[in-house]
Amino acid sequence: MSSEKSSSNIQQLFSFKRYFINNLDSYHGEYILKEMSKVLEQNATASNKQSSQTIIGEDIESLSQHPPEQPYEIIGTVTDPKVKSLDNVARIVSRTDCLSQMLSCGTVIFDISYCKDELKLAMDYVKLLKDLLEKQTPVRTTDSDDDGEPNEYKKRYLILVSTVMTWAVTKPLDPDTPDMPFIETDFRKRKPHPNYKMHYDVENEVIGIARKYKKYIGATVVASGLTYGGREDVLFYWFQKAWECERLLPILDRGSNVIPLINVQDLAQIVYNLVSDFPKKLYILAVEQNITKQREIIKSLGRIVGSGMFKCIPQEDGFLIPEIDQRIFDFMTLNLNMEPTFIVETMGLQWTSELSFQENVPILMKQFKRERGLKPFKVIVHGPPIVGKTTLSKLICEAYGLVYVSAETVAQDLLEDLSWRIKHWEVGETAELVQLSAEDDEIVVDDADEEGDDTFQDEAKLTHAILNSGRALTEEEILLYVRRRLLSNEALNRGWVLDGFPNNLAQCSTLFEKGDEQDSEGDEENEDDQFDEDIDLYNNVLKKMLPDIVVTLEATDEYICEKAMRQPENDSRLDEETVLKRLSEFRAGDTRDTTVLNFFDELDIHPLVIQVKEHADYGMKIAYAAVALRMGRPCRYGKLIAQIEAAEKKEKQELESLHAKEAKAMKELEKKMQEEREEKMEYWSELYALMREEEEAALAAAGEPLRNYLVNNIFPTLTTALLEVAKLRPDDPIDFLAEYLFKLNPTGKMLEPGYNLQAEKLLGKIKILDDALKDLDIKIEPLLPPEVDYEPQPKKNIHSMSAL
């Protein structure tokens, strides 16, 4: 426990050998840490020499009386909480314990140019430091300096890395010459951008401390220009879109504003030089000597790396681009002309490159690719017709973000591209802006009407006319267009897949010959260490065009013919004769001595042979798996890796959230459906009971006449007969019942529907009465009303036969 307490106390003790750097894992912090690590290396060498001396006698006693000398160390904060350690960093400090740790450091390098979240922390530290300096006497140390003089007072040092945005709205020094550059001594006249007023306040606080407590602390402000190089910062969007060959690179307004630039490595060297030899300077401009305009930055990227096409958009439309935030917009619309007098005349900085930004674009793009891990895969797919070359090629292009090239489609692709370019040239890149003034119009014309641009446009229009004529292309023209496509910036940046071409050794030699093109410098990292055999081997070919992988698909003639027959019947289906003809031509030109694979074999590019024999795999999934195993992890060139990972993470979170919402909605739906089902079941039960009652009532109402009929006509006679049967119990009850009913009704009328026993008796009595009246010969007049005229009908003679 005592050792832990002592170690923690040692960490809290003030030490001139301790350096603090904030945001060690940020864009600026990585390069500053790399430069500051030289301090550790230099002092580690010196301490090793001292420790190698032999300690004997009284030296041991004196050593035990004094605490061990503290080593040089670097501490700092990080932006990513997952980072637990970094090379050459003693420990990583949490932001909650940051202020106390900063006060224990002899040198503090604090960067507020990159992240606005650091402003409050910087202001708090400056206030604490001011309070400490007001109360504290000079710290006396026992460490000897370089001159070997002990007990000498030493200073604290504070280097504030700020931004030139605190000069953004500064008025020109001379209104008659607005292009006159600002220098360090003009810092009192600076006026900050509205979004950078807090940066301005922090700068003034540091300058005030440096003036008031100059005996105890050395403090200076480094105003950094727009940093570039490596991972890139503000210019990342234009680097990315240029590398992806975006059709039109946007220029905010006319792009004539001057942007102060500084390579991030040069900024780190300036900080290291200040730590090594701290100057008596309150304000330092960290910008390049070259004057660079926004248009020059973007056009150099587009012409050297991208599509070479641009459009000027109104400044306010820049916010319509999702990747451009307020910070990027502020920097890209800045207009400042500055001259770094101190770092040029006094410091004598060794610039990373003395070339202009335009001249450094190839090197910068190489660094950009290396930082992002962007490797352009180049693949050739070779094989017999109808085997699946196009399907496999498009699968590879989709998965790896490569450019698809084939002899059949290259002319159409080139025609579409040229048609779009010619249309854009006719409209002009400033079409979206308001009417240009005479001065601005002259500037744009001077920039656009360069000799190289005119030549390129003339060649493009000539090629467009040839392709648009509709005539068949010769083999030489196809080779020329395929080569031009493979050498385009888009294909060189992202990589390509060449489908089924070249077909013979002569085409290989013409397509990959060195010609007028040259391999760009730095394509091969170990180019100086090549073997003599390799120099001779690649002497006649253009190395940047050679494929990384040659895939050859092999299949039998039976498989190809059967696959051709299984193709759906449409315009693209080939008949049997055409298939056999193409297959025989391929076999004749692809013998062991004449195959194009020999060309690549001689260049040590050995083909990947894939057997195609599964009719169930016309989608070429098996072949793609073999190719992907050879190529490795896709870089997905449609977007950069960091953005894809962030997008995938966001998509995963959204998918999980969507699944959770769906599950919750499903549970609520099931619960609601269950409640509705129960309600419906209850309603249906009540309705069913009501229907049963109504049905029974309807049946009862419908059966009432039947019951009455049976009760009145059948049951009286039948009941008597059944009682008689039950009483006598004859051997044949059915026959007895029939006989009994016949006796009761010998005429058979009893079972007729209209038969009524009482009515029958009454009719019988009426008949007897009628017969008696006939015998008495009494005439009875019919009872008719007087108004009815009645004439008796003559009596018909009835013959005996008609009576029957």
Side-chain angles (χ1 to χ4, degrees):
M1 292 294 293
S2 60
S3 63
E4 293 179 0
K5 289 182 179 179
S6 61
S7 63
S8 62
N9 291 333
I10 290 174
Q11 290 180 1
Q12 295 296 333
L13 290 176
F14 177 81
S15 174
F16 291 107
K17 297 180 180 180
R18 187 178 298 127
Y19 299 87
F20 178 88
I21 305 173
N22 70 317
N23 294 345
L24 290 164
D25 59 338
S26 67
Y27 176 55
H28 293 170
E30 289 182 0
Y31 289 92
I32 294 175
L33 174 61
K34 184 178 178 181
E35 288 294 323
M36 290 302 299
S37 299
K38 297 177 182 178
V39 176
L40 303 182
E41 296 174 0
Q42 295 170 359
N43 290 281
T45 305
S47 61
N48 289 336
K49 292 180 179 179
Q50 293 179 1
S51 62
S52 62
Q53 298 178 357
T54 307
I55 303 176
I56 58 174
E58 297 178 355
D59 294 336
I60 299 177
E61 296 179 0
S62 62
L63 182 63
S64 62
Q65 295 175 358
H66 298 282
E69 182 180 351
Q70 291 191 17
Y72 285 86
E73 62 180 5
I74 297 175
I75 65 173
T77 59
V78 292
T79 58
D80 187 0
K82 296 181 180 179
V83 178
K84 301 301 180 183
S85 62
L86 291 170
D87 293 339
N88 299 318
V89 177
R91 64 182 183 278
I92 293 176
V93 181
S94 64
R95 297 182 66 86
T96 56
D97 192 32
C98 180
L99 292 175
S100 59
Q101 295 289 340
M102 292 169 67
L103 292 174
S104 68
C105 297
T107 302
V108 174
I109 303 169
F110 207 91
D111 183 7
I112 62 173
S113 66
Y114 189 78
C115 181
K116 287 189 176 182
D117 297 336
E118 300 295 303
L119 290 171
K120 185 178 182 303
L121 184 61
M123 187 64 77
D124 293 341
Y125 168 70
V126 171
K127 290 180 180 179
L128 284 175
L129 184 59
K130 185 185 296 184
D131 296 339
L132 179 64
L133 292 174
E134 288 178 355
K135 302 175 183 178
Q136 178 179 296
T137 57
V139 179
R140 184 182 297 272
T141 62
T142 56
D143 300 336
S144 60
D145 58 5
D146 297 338
D147 297 332
E149 297 178 0
N151 303 330
E152 183 177 338
Y153 296 110
K154 290 192 174 181
K155 291 183 178 181
R156 291 174 179 266
Y157 293 101
L158 172 60
I159 300 174
L160 182 72
V161 181
S162 185
T163 172
V164 293
M165 293 302 297
T166 56
W167 295 65
V169 294
T170 308
K171 295 182 180 179
L173 299 176
D174 186 357
D176 297 332
T177 56
D179 294 336
M180 180 182 293
F182 295 103
I183 58 176
E184 281 89 352
T185 55
D186 300 325
F187 75 90
R188 297 175 186 84
K189 303 175 183 177
R190 71 192 192 285
K191 301 296 180 183
H193 188 279
N195 295 331
Y196 290 82
K197 289 183 178 180
M198 195 168 180
H199 293 76
Y200 179 79
D201 295 338
V202 176
E203 289 182 8
N204 288 336
E205 289 291 334
V206 173
I207 294 171
I209 288 178
R211 281 176 171 163
K212 188 174 182 180
Y213 306 101
K214 58 183 177 181
K215 291 183 178 180
Y216 312 135
I217 185 171
T220 188
V221 176
V222 179
S224 169
L226 174 59
T227 50
Y228 66 91
R231 284 191 294 159
E232 300 305 330
D233 177 22
V234 172
L235 296 178
F236 171 79
Y237 169 75
W238 282 272
F239 270 82
Q240 174 195 351
K241 293 305 178 182
W243 178 83
E244 291 179 355
C245 284
E246 184 82 5
R247 275 197 165 185
L248 294 173
L249 279 183
I251 300 174
L252 301 183
D253 202 29
R254 296 174 180 84
S256 57
N257 55 304
V258 178
I259 301 177
L261 300 177
I262 183 71
N263 193 301
V264 68
Q265 297 180 13
D266 292 332
L267 177 63
Q269 287 186 40
I270 292 171
V271 173
Y272 172 72
N273 291 342
L274 293 176
V275 172
S276 302
D277 185 13
F278 203 88
K280 293 182 179 179
K281 210 53 180 162
L282 293 175
Y283 208 98
I284 297 173
L285 289 178
V287 297
E288 292 181 348
Q289 293 176 279
N290 300 316
I291 298 176
T292 309
K293 297 182 179 180
Q294 180 205 159
R295 186 193 307 113
E296 296 171 353
I297 296 172
I298 297 175
K299 289 208 168 186
S300 59
L301 286 171
R303 286 171 178 160
I304 298 174
V305 182
S307 63
M309 305 294 286
F310 313 91
K311 65 174 179 179
C312 296
I313 62 175
Q315 288 189 1
E316 58 273 12
D317 288 356
F319 291 107
L320 300 178
I321 302 173
E323 293 85 352
I324 297 181
D325 57 15
Q326 184 66 52
R327 178 171 175 266
I328 296 175
F329 178 83
D330 292 342
F331 266 103
M332 295 306 292
T333 55
L334 180 65
N335 188 15
L336 278 177
N337 189 0
M338 292 182 161
E339 186 175 338
T341 56
F342 175 78
I343 62 176
V344 173
E345 299 174 0
T346 306
M347 183 180 291
L349 178 68
Q350 297 294 323
W351 298 98
T352 302
S353 176
E354 295 184 358
L355 301 177
S356 63
F357 181 89
Q358 298 92 311
E359 296 169 325
N360 279 326
V361 164
I363 299 174
L364 295 173
M365 185 53 67
K366 183 182 176 182
Q367 294 175 356
F368 180 77
K369 293 179 183 178
R370 184 171 61 249
E371 291 286 342
R372 300 287 169 179
L374 303 176
K375 183 182 183 303
F377 288 104
K378 293 168 286 187
V379 183
I380 288 181
V381 180
H382 172 264
I386 318 179
V387 73
K389 300 187 298 296
T390 302
T391 303
L392 177 60
S393 299
K394 292 185 176 179
L395 274 177
I396 298 172
C397 289
E398 182 179 359
Y400 287 82
L402 310 182
V403 177
Y404 176 77
V405 185
S406 71
E408 291 79 12
T409 62
V410 66
Q412 183 63 30
D413 294 341
L414 185 59
L415 178 61
E416 293 176 358
D417 181 68
L418 292 177
S419 300
W420 170 81
R421 288 177 181 270
I422 292 173
K423 183 177 179 181
H424 179 69
W425 288 329
E426 292 174 354
V427 174
E429 63 186 40
T430 60
E432 297 184 12
L433 299 180
V434 296
Q435 186 66 31
L436 297 174
S437 62
E439 182 180 356
D440 292 331
D441 193 10
E442 184 178 346
I443 293 174
V444 174
V445 168
D446 290 342
D447 183 73
D449 294 343
E450 297 179 359
E451 182 178 355
D453 289 346
D454 292 341
T455 305
F456 176 76
Q457 292 184 18
D458 293 340
E459 292 178 355
K461 291 177 181 178
L462 178 60
T463 304
H464 179 268
I466 295 173
L467 294 174
N468 205 26
S469 63
R471 68 172 179 82
L473 300 177
T474 63
E475 181 178 344
E476 290 77 11
E477 290 176 330
I478 293 176
L479 276 169
L480 175 63
Y481 296 147
V482 170
R483 180 181 173 89
R484 180 184 298 180
R485 181 63 170 154
L486 297 183
L487 288 173
S488 65
N489 287 336
E490 184 180 13
L492 291 176
N493 292 342
R494 296 167 52 191
W496 44 262
V497 176
L498 186 54
D499 178 14
F501 195 82
N503 298 319
N504 52 58
L505 293 175
Q507 291 178 350
C508 288
S509 301
T510 305
L511 184 63
F512 298 105
E513 68 177 352
K514 179 162 287 188
D516 298 333
E517 292 284 343
Q518 296 295 328
D519 291 316
S520 59
E521 296 180 1
D523 283 347
E524 297 293 333
E525 295 182 358
N526 299 324
E527 188 174 0
D528 296 337
D529 299 332
Q530 286 185 348
F531 295 100
D532 294 338
E533 293 84 353
D534 291 338
I535 296 176
D536 296 336
L537 182 66
Y538 300 115
N539 191 30
N540 297 322
V541 295
L542 197 60
K543 292 180 66 175
K544 64 181 179 182
M545 281 191 63
L546 292 178
D548 302 312
I549 300 175
V550 176
V551 180
T552 176
L553 303 177
E554 293 186 352
T556 61
D557 294 354
E558 293 78 9
Y559 172 86
I560 294 174
C561 293
E562 186 173 354
K563 181 178 179 180
M565 296 300 296
R566 292 188 180 188
Q567 297 292 330
E569 295 184 1
N570 50 31
D571 296 338
S572 61
R573 180 176 177 177
L574 302 176
D575 55 13
E576 183 178 0
E577 183 179 355
T578 305
V579 172
L580 293 175
K581 180 180 179 182
R582 290 180 56 183
L583 188 58
S584 61
E585 291 176 354
F586 174 80
R587 297 297 186 197
D590 195 59
T591 62
R592 179 174 297 181
D593 297 331
T594 61
T595 178
V596 296
L597 302 178
N598 294 338
F599 178 84
F600 301 108
D601 265 331
E602 293 176 359
L603 296 171
D604 290 337
I605 305 174
H606 304 295
L608 173 62
V609 181
I610 300 176
Q611 297 292 336
V612 181
K613 53 186 177 182
E614 296 291 337
H615 286 287
D617 188 39
Y618 287 162
M620 303 302 290
K621 300 293 184 182
I622 298 176
Y624 169 74
V627 176
L629 185 63
R630 170 72 70 88
M631 294 177 67
R633 177 178 179 271
C635 292
R636 302 184 189 181
Y637 293 112
K639 295 180 180 178
L640 297 181
I641 298 174
Q643 291 183 338
I644 288 180
E645 291 176 352
E648 288 179 348
K649 184 178 179 181
K650 183 178 179 181
E651 183 180 359
K652 185 178 179 181
Q653 292 176 351
E654 291 177 353
L655 191 61
E656 291 176 354
S657 176
L658 181 62
H659 287 331
K661 290 181 180 178
E662 288 179 352
K664 184 178 179 180
M666 187 61 69
K667 290 182 180 179
E668 293 178 354
L669 181 62
E670 290 177 355
K671 184 178 179 181
K672 185 178 180 181
M673 291 178 65
Q674 182 68 20
E675 293 176 354
E676 291 180 355
R677 184 173 178 274
E678 292 176 355
E679 293 177 358
K680 288 182 179 179
M681 288 297 295
E682 184 178 356
Y683 171 74
W684 289 342
S685 299
E686 296 176 356
L687 183 63
Y688 180 70
L690 182 62
M691 290 177 63
R692 286 291 301 271
E693 292 177 359
E694 292 179 354
E695 184 179 0
E696 290 176 359
L699 290 174
E704 187 67 24
L706 299 177
R707 283 194 300 271
N708 293 335
Y709 173 78
L710 292 175
V711 169
N712 295 328
N713 299 319
I714 303 298
F715 287 166
T717 305
L718 189 59
T719 302
T720 305
L722 290 175
L723 290 174
E724 193 68 23
V725 170
K727 180 179 178 181
L728 298 177
R729 294 180 181 179
D731 294 336
D732 191 354
I734 301 300
D735 186 61
F736 178 82
L737 182 63
E739 188 69 24
Y740 184 83
L741 291 175
F742 183 74
K743 287 180 180 180
L744 292 179
N745 186 21
T747 61
K749 294 181 179 180
M750 183 183 295
L751 300 178
E752 292 180 1
Y755 177 77
N756 190 309
L757 182 61
Q758 293 179 356
E760 191 70 22
K761 291 179 180 180
L762 182 62
L763 288 174
K765 293 179 180 181
I766 293 173
K767 185 177 179 182
I768 294 172
L769 182 59
D770 188 33
D771 293 340
L773 289 174
K774 287 181 179 180
D775 292 340
L776 293 177
D777 195 13
I778 299 174
K779 294 182 180 180
I780 300 174
E781 294 291 334
L783 298 177
L784 297 174
E787 61 270 10
V788 177
D789 187 13
Y790 174 75
E791 293 182 359
Q793 297 291 334
K795 201 169 185 179
K796 294 182 180 181
N797 294 325
I798 301 176
H799 299 282
S800 59
M801 292 301 295
S802 63
L804 297 176

